Amino acid sequence: MAPSPRETSPELKEALEDTVQMVDKAIGRLLPETDLAEAQLYDAMRYGTLAGGKRLRPFMVMQSAKLFNVDPARAKRVAAAIELVHAYSLIHDDLPAMDNSDMRRGKLTVHRAYDEATAILAGDGLLTMAFQILTEPETHEDPYVRCALVAALADAAGPHGMVGGQMLDLIGETTEFDLGSISRMQRMKTGKLMAFSCEAGAILGKAGDMYRRALTSYAYDLGLAFQVTDDILDVEADPNESGKPANQDDKAGKSTFVSTMGKEQARQRAEMLAEQAIRHLHVFQGRAKMLEELAYYVLRRRA
Ligand code: GRG
């Protein structure tokens, strides 16, 4: 019997596992153990990036790159760079000045395992390294492509994207947000980096606008479905599964999709967004099966 789209197919499971291994290997190579005097910085960077994490964004890069026959060695570098940016965002998000979290991925957060200053520097180091990777000729022989990758990552991670979204998230602790404001905040905070992850393959493959737009539209809908699911998980997750405490949003006084529309409607909204995300991929005429399945996978996730 063919697996229902509500179950993870063996192909997706294998592809996700392969991505985890590939990213761990790539980051291990980028951040080797060292006995330099500043070794603590590298240890904290390794601690914050290795062992744990679903590697969803690298998966999006690898899958979108495949659609345009991009050399996987190049795609891997971009995938690793995006994961470094993602890891930096989590390390800084966990800091006392932000979410003040002790646990992430079932282990102590970087500032609790090391100290606050080291966590700030580890995040800074990861963000900076990501851009360095994109500028290197091994990422793409065409400097125009490298430049386009740098510009798109800066847009996704900076004030127009993740950093701006994080500011709105903090403002949301003291201001009531309506559904439109929550959606905009999440689009910037998590959607933009996912959109870049999907678009990266198209940039590397010098694909046309129609394909780039299809991939970013897919990612924005998937990103929102992911975030609505995150809000549901926050109220019902078992900390043993999710690796972090439950009800953090409510404790921080944040308006979420669940607090504004209720759990059932939020669940329906997530399903609707996942289906909408998949429709954007129709331009690939069935060649983007793994990305299609990923849209349902984010709804089922427990961590
Ligand atoms: C501090 C600049 C700065 C930005 C932080 C992305 C972000 C902005 C904060 C993350 C906080 C958070 C828990 C958001 C909910 C959605 C989210 C991004 C969850 C973590 O992403 P996953 O599930 O994580 O892909 P793993 O652990 O699998 O890598």
Side-chain angles (χ1 to χ4, degrees):
M1 196 175 73
S4 97
R6 313 283 142 159
E7 289 164 19
T8 307
S9 71
E11 292 80 10
L12 179 61
K13 199 163 174 278
E14 195 183 329
L16 285 166
E17 284 167 5
D18 284 353
T19 308
V20 169
Q21 278 180 25
M22 178 277 285
V23 172
D24 279 0
K25 230 162 109 181
I27 295 178
R29 266 202 308 270
L30 289 163
L31 294 169
E33 285 183 68
T34 168
D35 54 9
L36 291 168
E38 65 277 24
Q40 179 167 323
L41 173 66
Y42 291 95
D43 286 349
M45 287 162 79
R46 287 171 63 84
Y47 181 90
T49 48
L50 292 170
K54 297 177 288 299
R55 314 307 196 188
L56 294 180
R57 295 154 195 81
F59 182 80
M60 291 171 184
V61 177
M62 298 311 291
Q63 292 300 323
S64 72
K66 217 168 163 182
L67 291 170
F68 308 104
N69 300 316
V70 172
D71 176 355
R74 288 177 171 171
K76 271 183 208 173
R77 293 176 58 82
V78 179
I82 292 177
E83 191 62 17
L84 297 190
V85 174
H86 171 61
Y88 127 76
S89 80
L90 299 182
I91 295 170
H92 280 196
D93 183 64
D94 290 334
L95 286 168
M98 302 229 192
D99 268 8
N100 195 16
S101 302
D102 290 342
M103 300 296 287
R104 158 93 47 200
R105 296 172 173 167
K107 48 183 206 170
L108 285 176
T109 47
V110 177
H111 68 275
R112 294 278 285 110
Y114 293 83
D115 56 60
E116 224 177 300
T118 306
I120 293 170
L121 292 173
D124 293 342
L126 292 169
L127 176 64
T128 318
M129 260 188 85
F131 284 99
Q132 185 174 14
I133 293 165
L134 297 186
T135 63
E136 288 164 350
E138 295 93 314
T139 300
H140 203 284
E141 84 277 5
D142 183 344
Y144 174 81
V145 170
R146 301 202 296 272
C147 214
L149 289 168
V150 167
L153 180 58
D155 185 60
H160 303 304
M162 193 171 67
V163 171
Q166 180 74 354
M167 187 74 245
L168 290 172
D169 190 69
L170 294 171
I171 291 168
E173 291 182 5
T174 50
T175 310
E176 188 139 343
F177 278 173
D178 61 15
L179 215 48
S181 305
I182 297 172
S183 302
R184 177 169 179 261
M185 182 262 290
Q186 298 299 0
R187 186 179 163 97
M188 289 166 73
K189 196 176 99 166
T190 53
K192 271 223 158 177
L193 195 59
M194 288 191 176
F196 173 59
S197 306
C198 288
E199 196 183 8
I203 299 176
L204 283 165
K206 299 186 178 180
D209 276 356
M210 178 180 78
Y211 295 114
R212 281 173 73 151
R213 260 200 310 276
L215 286 164
T216 51
S217 304
Y218 157 83
Y220 280 126
D221 284 334
L222 177 132
L224 262 192
F226 172 94
Q227 197 53 57
V228 176
T229 306
D230 208 68
D231 290 354
I232 298 171
L233 277 176
D234 187 64
V235 293
E236 64 178 24
D238 172 355
N240 290 326
E241 267 183 304
S242 67
K244 57 184 186 183
N247 289 313
Q248 278 179 309
D249 294 331
D250 190 41
K251 283 181 204 146
K254 289 180 189 173
S255 316
T256 68
F257 289 108
V258 171
S259 72
T260 30
M261 59 169 73
K263 208 160 66 173
E264 256 338 288
Q265 239 193 302
R267 220 183 285 280
Q268 283 169 22
R269 175 69 67 106
E271 293 255 347
M272 188 271 283
L273 285 161
E275 280 156 20
Q276 195 169 290
I278 291 168
R279 281 200 290 276
H280 294 298
L281 298 175
H282 287 173
V283 290
F284 296 105
Q285 301 179 323
R287 288 185 305 114
K289 275 275 166 276
M290 290 294 94
L291 290 176
E292 289 182 19
E293 281 196 38
L294 187 72
Y296 288 116
Y297 175 85
V298 301
L299 304 186
R300 287 193 304 268
R301 72 197 180 89
R302 303 300 299 162

